[in-house]
Amino acid sequence: KKQAMKPHIKEAYRYLENANAILKEKTTNDGKHYNDKKYVRMAGHTAYHAVLEALSPLMKAAIKELGKKHEDVQVARHAVGKVNKKMLQSFNSSYDYLHIYMGYDGQTLLQTKKTGFILAKEIIEWADENTTALGGIKTKKTRTKV
């Protein structure tokens, strides 16, 4: 029996699809670069939010632990690093590619987008395997009920 997709994972994929649609519908490329930084920035921010959405269950506990009021990059780093140091490297790279290079710098190189989206998918898949449908962290004792 196939389980329903966890709400935060479904939403993360929706953000990623929206980011891709922005680039496909709003700008063109010459095979190497996108032609409009504005839409690269929009897509980068949207794709970065896909990563944050996927990690949101992990960040809920980290917000309390760190005494923060909301999710931010330090909360995400703390939450991911606590569970998996290797995935923390992927998160840091996704932050750079999606949030900084695309989202702020408007880096138009297609390879930047490709790398950022590969990292985002890796994190979303990891979050799907390591969080429960109700938003907790999976442990050996935890069973996911959907």
Side-chain angles (χ1 to χ4, degrees):
K1 184 179 169 184
K2 190 177 177 198
Q3 274 190 326
M5 193 178 291
K6 299 167 192 162
H8 64 285
I9 299 301
K10 187 176 183 180
E11 191 69 1
Y13 279 121
R14 191 172 75 87
Y15 273 102
L16 205 56
E17 287 168 16
N18 289 345
N20 212 27
I22 290 167
L23 293 171
K24 279 186 177 168
E25 296 166 14
K26 302 290 187 184
T27 187
T28 57
N29 69 73
D30 61 11
K32 189 171 181 180
H33 290 272
Y34 288 104
N35 296 321
D36 196 330
K37 281 185 169 193
K38 172 185 173 182
Y39 297 111
V40 169
R41 286 186 177 118
M42 286 173 64
H45 284 302
T46 303
Y48 179 63
H49 280 280
V51 170
L52 294 180
E53 186 65 35
L55 296 175
S56 62
L58 298 176
M59 289 195 284
K60 285 183 176 110
I63 287 170
K64 290 177 188 166
E65 261 180 56
L66 297 172
K68 297 270 189 173
K69 295 199 184 334
H70 57 82
E71 297 173 357
D72 63 23
V73 69
Q74 283 84 16
V75 170
R77 285 181 176 139
H78 178 80
V80 175
K82 223 174 141 173
V83 180
N84 187 312
K85 297 283 188 225
K86 188 174 180 189
M87 195 50 56
L88 177 58
Q89 289 179 317
S90 290
F91 172 78
N92 286 332
S93 293
S94 77
Y95 175 82
D96 290 343
Y97 276 89
L98 300 171
H99 192 60
I100 303 298
Y101 304 155
M102 286 180 72
Y104 281 105
D105 298 342
Q107 172 54 258
T108 59
L109 198 63
L110 266 65
Q111 192 59 49
T112 301
K113 179 261 185 189
K114 286 179 187 173
T115 302
F117 277 51
I118 287 168
L119 290 162
K121 285 179 187 169
E122 177 188 348
I123 292 164
I124 293 168
E125 288 169 6
W126 176 82
D128 191 19
E129 291 172 16
N130 289 279
T131 59
T132 66
L134 301 175
I137 298 168
K138 265 191 183 173
T139 62
K140 288 183 175 138
K141 295 178 188 172
T142 308
R143 283 215 175 334
T144 303
K145 292 179 184 170
V146 180

